[in-house]
Every structure is written in C-alpha cells, then in structure tokens.
Amino acid sequence: SFILDSGNSFSINRSTNTPKASGTFGGAAISNGYSPVTNTQIEAKWDYNGTMLGISTGSPYLTDLTYKSGILTNAGAKVTSSETAIVASRGLSDGFKVFGGIRLNQYKGTINKPYLGGVGNPTFSVAGGYQFHLDTGTSTGFAIGAAYEVPQIMLRASIQYNSEIKHSSAKITETFGGATTASSPDDIIAPSSMIIKLRSALSPRMLAFANWRSSQYKKFKIEGPVHTAAGQGEIYNPESGTDYALGIALKVNDQLNVLVGTTKSQSTDTGGLANALAPFKGSSSNFIGASFKLNETVELNGGYSLVSFGDDNAGVPLSTGVGGAASFTNNKGSRLSIGTKISF
C-alpha cells in the first residue's frame, strides 16, 4: 500500500522474527529448533507527472529450523525467498485510485531428514539421511488493485489481488542412500492472495485500521520423486488460510505517532497431523509501534510484537516408515522491527 501514499520517499525496514516451538512425544521432550530470521524490506516511490511509480524488494518467507534432540536430531528446513515488485498508481476523479504492477518471485529451500537413514545412520548425520534442495528460479506474476480515499477524514479503503506465480524452471536435487537425483517439476505455484484494507479517523488525533488477507496456498504443493518412492508422501502440502489485523494509531504530537493492534492467522483445518517442520495451527500476535519525525525529511520507526502459535499435534517418526503424534503446545515468538523513511 506504500504506492498509494503521496510524495517521493525511500524507506528501509529490518525485522527479526524469533519463533520458538517445542513439544513432547512418548514422555520425551522435543526442544526448540528454530533460529531467528531477519528480513530487510526496501521501498522507494516517486511522482512522475501525476503517476506514482514505485519499487519494493524483500523476503516474504523465511524459515531456519533444525531439531537437536531424539529421532528428529538434525532434521529441519531452511527456506529463503525474494520478491521484487515494480508498481504504479494513478488518481482518478472523486477520490478513486487504481494501482498495479509486476512481481518477481523466487524460493530456495533445503529439507533434511536424517532419520530416514534408519539403522545405517545411528548418529542422525545429515549426510547419512535424506536431503532435499529446491531452487524455483525467478518467475513473474502481477498485482492489481483500487482504492477510495477521503483525505479530510483520512479514510482509505483498498482492495488488491496478487496473482499466483507458476515456477516452470524449478530445480530439485534429492540425496538418499548415497545417490543424488535431479528433477525439474513444472507445477510449483506460489500462492495468490486477496487483500482488503480499511482505515479512517476516529478523531483529529486517532486513526483506526483493519486489514484482511486470504491466501491460496493449496497449490503450493512440493513433492520429490525419491521422497515419494521411499513411501514418505508429499514434502510440503499447505492449506489455504486467512489473516487479519486490527489496530489504532494515535498522533501524540507533530513528531510522534504510536499504534497498538492485534493479528490472527488461520489455515483450513483438515483434522490431520501437522507437519513437524511447521508444528502449530495458526498464530496470533499483539503489537506496538511508533514513528518519530526527526525533521521534515527523516522519519524513524520501530515495532515489537509477541506471537502465540496455536497448539497442534505433529507427525514424527517412530522408525523409518512409521509415524506417531507429538504434542506441541504453548509455543511463542517475537518480532522486532526498526526502520527509517526519507522523503524528498
């Protein structure tokens, strides 16, 4: 939505997510395997003869998980991503704006399952088990939307559609039993989404906002031929879900603004076991934030949120080819962000 704001600007924001998830299985503890991950988001926009042009880049999906105990020792996943959007917006009559552009998207992922090495891998070394590597390459989709604004009361209502992105040049490498197998799937599809945002002034100094997003993850299914042949099924098969955020922003003075709010994310419940690489059912958070104007050009901003992950039972191996259910409960995390915005 940065492309809907007026004025030329450049901003950079750095956020660190620190998830923690641990559970129990058969009376034994499964310790947290998550490491913090950091995303740097950069946005720039400028006015060109009444049309706002912009570019943004960041990493929408990041995961760094390695379990350290029991049969899950050294099992885990590492996911990185990049997405760059080149967008434009144009005001029409009576407060209406339209906006849209192209999105360039890439994923890279590594998944390790040492326990699949069975009795031949008693130390659960990564090299002695199953290894999966994915590089989707960069593919292109689009975003399109419209907004209605009433500046006098700071009202803005917007709707945006992000298309799915089909990665037709993805490369997979699997290593198992000392043999490495390469394949090229043509059906890895990054999810589409619909986003609705609403904000309005409650008073001259107070603003309320609400955001809703529906993401179609169901097509983002990942399989490996070797993994399937070993009787392990799909590597990743997520469900579609929705997210929302509600909050209030307060203008303390001409320099300082503060905000508080809450979020919730929820995926479709299939009734089955969760994946041990994502052992929770949805999440919720409460957040605070602030922005401070140093002068007419430079603004500093920051935020902090506490995250709660929904309890769930995750599938874990009892032995190769046999599974059980581990209980993951009362898992939490945090998110810290700092940034700056320069107007020109």
Side-chain angles (χ1 to χ4, degrees), residues 238-250:
E239 296 295 326
S240 299
T242 56
D243 309 84
Y244 71 78
L246 302 171
I248 293 176
L250 175 67

Side-chain angles (χ1 to χ4, degrees), residues 8-284:
N8 302 340
S9 67
F10 171 84
S11 66
I12 182 168
N13 186 279
R14 189 172 175 86
S15 60
T16 298
N17 290 288
T18 307
K20 295 180 180 180
S22 57
T24 58
F25 178 62
I30 301 174
S31 60
N32 174 57
Y34 282 98
S35 296
V37 291
T38 298
N39 171 43
T40 300
Q41 183 75 26
I42 300 173
E43 299 174 341
K45 60 183 177 66
W46 58 95
D47 188 296
Y48 181 77
N49 294 332
T51 297
M52 191 65 69
L53 305 176
I55 184 170
S56 68
T57 185
S59 302
Y61 305 101
L62 294 168
T63 298
D64 190 352
L65 168 66
T66 301
Y67 286 108
K68 302 176 178 65
S69 59
I71 198 169
L72 290 178
T73 298
N74 290 329
K78 185 171 185 178
V79 178
T80 61
S81 63
S82 64
E83 181 161 310
T84 299
I86 302 171
V87 293
S89 69
R90 180 82 180 186
L92 305 177
S93 60
D94 299 324
F96 284 98
K97 286 183 179 181
V98 292
F99 61 95
I102 61 172
R103 299 162 52 227
L104 292 83
N105 176 278
Q106 181 184 28
Y107 295 90
K108 292 183 179 181
T110 298
I111 293 175
N112 296 316
K113 295 185 176 182
Y115 57 82
L116 289 182
V119 295
N121 189 26
T123 61
F124 299 106
S125 69
V126 171
Y130 171 82
Q131 301 167 68
F132 172 90
H133 300 280
L134 167 69
D135 186 348
T136 65
T138 300
S139 295
T140 304
F142 68 88
I144 190 170
Y148 175 70
E149 298 178 336
V150 181
Q152 295 86 345
I153 58 172
M154 297 188 70
L155 172 68
R156 175 189 289 167
S158 67
I159 184 170
Q160 175 180 336
Y161 173 73
N162 295 321
S163 72
E164 63 184 29
I165 299 177
K166 184 174 182 179
H167 293 278
S168 56
S169 300
K171 304 296 182 184
I172 285 176
T173 303
E174 298 173 277
T175 301
F176 187 46
T180 298
T181 304
S183 58
S184 300
D186 60 1
D187 57 352
I188 294 181
I189 300 175
S192 64
S193 62
M194 182 72 73
I195 304 169
I196 297 174
K197 295 185 177 182
L198 176 65
R199 75 177 195 195
S200 179
L202 300 178
S203 73
R205 288 183 174 273
M206 186 175 293
L207 178 78
F209 60 89
N211 303 332
W212 177 87
R213 178 184 184 122
S214 175
S215 301
Q216 304 305 309
Y217 280 96
K218 190 60 180 175
K219 291 185 179 181
F220 193 36
K221 182 170 63 174
I222 298 175
E223 299 175 289
V226 175
H227 192 266
T228 301
Q232 299 300 306
E234 297 152 337
I235 292 175
Y236 185 59
N237 186 13
E239 296 295 326
S240 299
T242 56
D243 309 84
Y244 71 78
L246 302 171
I248 293 176
L250 175 67
K251 182 177 182 179
V252 179
N253 53 45
D254 290 339
Q255 291 177 294
L256 178 64
N257 295 302
V258 298
L259 61 86
V260 296
T262 186
T263 70
K264 187 174 180 63
S265 300
Q266 185 170 339
S267 299
T268 302
D269 187 359
T270 64
L273 295 176
N275 192 313
L277 302 181
F280 47 83
K281 185 184 298 181
S283 65
S284 60

Side-chain angles (χ1 to χ4, degrees), residues 285-304:
S285 72
N286 296 307
F287 63 87
I288 58 173
S291 64
F292 183 78
K293 279 191 174 183
L294 293 178
N295 50 50
E296 292 301 316
T297 302
V298 181
E299 177 182 305
L300 304 179
N301 58 75
Y304 182 77

